Amino acid sequence: MNRNKSRAFSRAGTFVVTLGLMSGSVAVAQDKPTSETPSNIPPSRVIAGRPLHSPPKMDAADARKSVNAFITWASESVVEEQDDARRALLSAAKSPELIKAFTEEITQANNSGDTSRALVALGLLGEMRTYDGAKFLVEFVRMPLPTKGTVIEGELQEEAQQARLQAKAIAGVAYLRDAEFDREVANQAGNHPSVIVRAEAISAYLWNRGDTAEARKELEPFVRKEERLFLERVRRVSGEGADAFNRKLTAYLKAHPEVQAPNPEPKEPRPPEEKPNTFDVTPPKF
């Protein structure tokens, strides 16, 4: 299976259009961690210790501060609080000051390297479904990707990280469901330099049209020929059982055997003179 294609499948599946980030997430801190040791408090106790259904009020008179607090709350929220968040965002969408504050928070988080916070804030801005918010998201998607940094297994980490944020942004653009912005989504589905964003643009475009055959036909001319299998990617919908989804997945893999992982190759027997696997009883000091 092509490595880039495999990564696109894996990552695109993690990008939910609306508030998926908030589901079950716990304590994405605003500031960088200062402790060298992990907390010994289990997530269940963290969740149990915070009051549910109490999002901070967003006030246009103190927009930046209140939006900052809301993003922190959303980062720590659980799935039961999705409706609370949506109601708050629906109200905030009426205020240009609050929308601007969200864009400033995203820019600050992105510039400071706080990817988790930027990802949450991008999702929240997309959920607001405003013209000005979508304009900002389009500009964010169009930002050049990093060309220098750390390469692991042939992948530039900074580039991939920025592409994941841009994928979240393009999902928000598609969620507005506006003809002008839909053209941007379709264009990015074929022309964005990262396959992560292209795959998410395809997924978001189709999801917002009910995954219909008509939507696939509309989008197909924009999609690269070698990536048109993304148009047929299966999606598990709400209420769908495992058996029904597995049937869809089996049919998809049968139609596209190139996306299946190759069978593992058996390892050659270890020479008898070679020592067996060992490990350090006492780990080295770093």
Side-chain angles (χ1 to χ4, degrees):
M1 182 179 179
N2 180 281
R3 174 178 291 178
N4 288 335
K5 197 173 291 180
S6 173
R7 285 172 174 160
F9 265 89
S10 174
R11 289 167 178 164
T14 67
F15 289 111
V16 182
V17 174
T18 56
L19 298 175
L21 263 179
M22 294 158 47
S23 304
S25 66
V26 177
V28 179
Q30 175 183 350
D31 300 319
K32 292 183 178 179
T34 55
S35 175
E36 296 182 354
T37 56
S39 171
N40 58 0
I41 303 175
S44 58
R45 283 181 56 191
V46 174
I47 294 173
R50 59 186 293 280
L52 294 177
H53 310 296
S54 301
K57 182 180 178 182
M58 286 187 277
D59 185 354
D62 198 5
R64 190 69 188 274
K65 184 177 179 180
S66 61
V67 167
N68 183 303
F70 187 85
I71 295 171
T72 300
W73 171 85
S75 300
E76 300 173 350
S77 64
V78 295
V79 66
E80 292 85 351
E81 297 175 296
Q82 284 187 348
D83 287 342
D84 302 304
R86 289 193 172 106
R87 283 194 293 271
L89 291 169
L90 183 63
S91 176
K94 302 172 185 174
S95 166
E97 293 85 357
L98 293 173
I99 296 168
K100 185 171 183 292
F102 269 101
T103 66
E104 292 170 345
E105 286 292 322
I106 292 168
T107 300
Q108 178 176 314
N110 187 49
N111 291 342
S112 66
D114 192 343
T115 307
S116 298
R117 188 172 182 81
L119 196 63
V120 173
L122 284 165
L124 297 174
L125 184 61
E127 180 70 24
M128 293 171 79
R129 301 177 73 176
T130 65
Y131 184 86
D132 288 342
K135 279 180 62 180
F136 173 84
L137 294 175
V138 169
E139 293 171 3
F140 193 91
V141 171
R142 292 178 177 179
M143 289 170 58
L145 294 170
T147 58
K148 298 179 181 178
T150 304
V151 177
I152 299 177
E153 295 184 352
E155 182 180 69
L156 181 59
Q157 298 303 296
E158 288 78 1
E159 179 189 28
Q161 201 164 52
Q162 187 67 17
R164 285 191 281 272
L165 293 177
Q166 292 182 337
K168 191 68 177 176
I170 200 66
V173 177
Y175 191 50
L176 185 61
R177 300 176 192 173
D178 174 271
E180 174 186 344
F181 290 101
D182 285 349
R183 285 193 291 274
E184 176 71 19
V185 178
N187 181 58
Q188 296 295 351
N191 295 318
H192 195 279
S194 171
V195 66
I196 297 172
V197 182
R198 295 196 301 271
E200 180 59 20
I202 294 169
S203 177
Y205 187 96
L206 297 178
W207 185 86
N208 283 285
R209 286 161 180 75
D211 287 322
T212 62
E214 183 181 4
R216 290 187 174 87
K217 188 176 180 181
E218 291 171 353
L219 189 59
E220 185 174 353
F222 296 92
V223 178
R224 301 182 183 194
K225 185 178 179 180
E226 68 275 16
E227 294 178 354
R228 287 181 181 168
L229 75 170
F230 291 157
L231 291 166
E232 301 171 20
R233 190 170 50 188
V234 293
R235 192 193 312 274
R236 187 170 182 179
V237 298
S238 178
E240 184 177 37
D243 291 341
F245 175 75
N246 286 338
R247 283 194 293 273
K248 291 195 304 187
L249 182 60
T250 300
Y252 178 78
L253 294 176
K254 186 176 180 180
H256 300 285
E258 69 274 23
V259 302
Q260 296 191 55
N263 293 327
E265 298 180 1
K267 192 175 181 180
E268 294 184 1
R270 187 182 297 276
E273 67 276 13
E274 190 174 311
K275 293 182 180 179
N277 290 331
T278 59
F279 62 92
D280 296 328
V281 176
T282 303
K285 294 183 179 179
F286 294 98

